[in-house]
Amino acid sequence: MLTYQSEILYTVVLLSIMLIVLLLTKRAIRRFSFIKSIEVNRRKIILNLIYLLTYIIVISILAIIWGVDHKQFAVFISSVLAVLGVGFFAQWSILSNLTASVILFFSHPVRIGHRIRILEKDFNLTGRVKDITGFYFFMITDNGQDITLPNSYVLQKGIQILKEDEEPGDLSFIPPDTNEKETPA
């Protein structure tokens, strides 16, 4: 009989589960992107990030199935994480922009083609969203300038979604004081 029969069986089961999870995830993200009218390129970025996470988990489980010593495996993983940590610390904006890209994909109301105003006190950033990638947010201003902003910057600033013919209004209004009580006349 085979020496590694149980390991082979567990590996086949794990890979089957992985394929099923990837197919279901792909289908769910595709439906979500159609419902929210999200561009295909943005969907591909999110799918690639999910695939990467799934592969890392499966490789870790495979190492345990095939009997890699837990102490050696822990040392290996901590070494890899230390190298990645140093790399991401040196380039922290990469990680923050990828995270911002995922947040923009799932929960932000801004879509490609929308006319927006980024609420920045020093600059008038009003225009149309051209593209949203894994790291950058591209827009064309009303003056015709191409502007590239990091995704993390877009999440930090407020965004006003404008209608096609709407001019950006003055946002320096003072909200009504709710502490004063009206006196009947």
Side-chain angles (χ1 to χ4, degrees), residues 46-66:
I46 299 301
L47 281 173
N48 287 338
L49 289 172
I50 290 174
Y51 290 164
L52 177 67
L53 180 65
T54 304
Y55 294 147
I56 289 171
I57 291 171
V58 167
I59 288 170
S60 300
I61 294 172
L62 280 174
I64 293 170
I65 288 174
W66 284 93

Side-chain angles (χ1 to χ4, degrees), residues 112-125:
I112 294 172
H114 279 174
R115 188 163 179 274
I116 64 166
R117 176 179 179 209
I118 297 178
L119 305 176
E120 170 64 44
K121 65 179 181 176
D122 297 331
F123 303 105
N124 181 16
L125 300 175

Side-chain angles (χ1 to χ4, degrees), residues 35-97:
I35 290 171
K36 296 288 188 171
S37 300
I38 296 172
E39 186 183 313
V40 176
N41 290 332
R42 290 184 63 203
R43 182 175 68 212
K44 287 180 184 178
I45 292 169
I46 299 301
L47 281 173
N48 287 338
L49 289 172
I50 290 174
Y51 290 164
L52 177 67
L53 180 65
T54 304
Y55 294 147
I56 289 171
I57 291 171
V58 167
I59 288 170
S60 300
I61 294 172
L62 280 174
I64 293 170
I65 288 174
W66 284 93
V68 174
D69 185 26
H70 295 291
K71 290 181 183 178
Q72 291 176 354
F73 187 65
V75 168
F76 172 73
I77 293 297
S78 63
S79 300
V80 168
L81 290 177
V83 169
L84 287 175
V86 169
F88 278 133
F89 181 72
Q91 293 293 328
W92 65 270
S93 63
I94 291 175
L95 185 59
S96 66
N97 281 322

